[in-house]
Amino acid sequence: MRTLAQACASSSTVESWLAAEPHSADALALRAATETARAFNVAIAAGRGVPIDRNRIDSAVMACLQASDSYPDDPTPGSP
């Protein structure tokens, strides 16, 4: 998932998939991973100690929460 998200981070692939299948749990999970990768890429490019846009972080968090909600029966430890 991380490798795919990193590949999608510089494109609109995941957004296209979500436009076609807005309720796809797999697309939502990939968007969460992609938004997280994008946030890390911005932070790395900015350099150590440089704050990044709070909206970028919030976007990644919200994508992760939405993806998590799309898999209510996920057996991953720590899931509700």
Side-chain angles (χ1 to χ4, degrees):
M1 178 70 76
R2 287 185 195 159
T3 301
L4 186 55
Q6 199 61 262
C8 291
S10 61
S11 73
S12 61
T13 302
V14 73
E15 288 80 12
S16 296
W17 185 9
L18 276 170
E21 298 181 54
H23 303 292
S24 167
D26 291 329
L28 290 166
L30 181 57
R31 182 183 62 162
T34 300
E35 288 299 324
T36 301
R38 288 173 176 159
F40 273 99
N41 290 346
V42 168
I44 290 166
R48 184 180 299 268
V50 177
I52 65 169
D53 181 14
R54 182 71 184 183
N55 290 330
R56 171 73 69 180
I57 296 168
D58 290 346
S59 176
V61 169
M62 293 308 297
C64 290
L65 292 172
Q66 189 176 17
S68 177
D69 288 345
S70 73
Y71 276 108
D73 297 326
D74 183 3
T76 305
S79 295

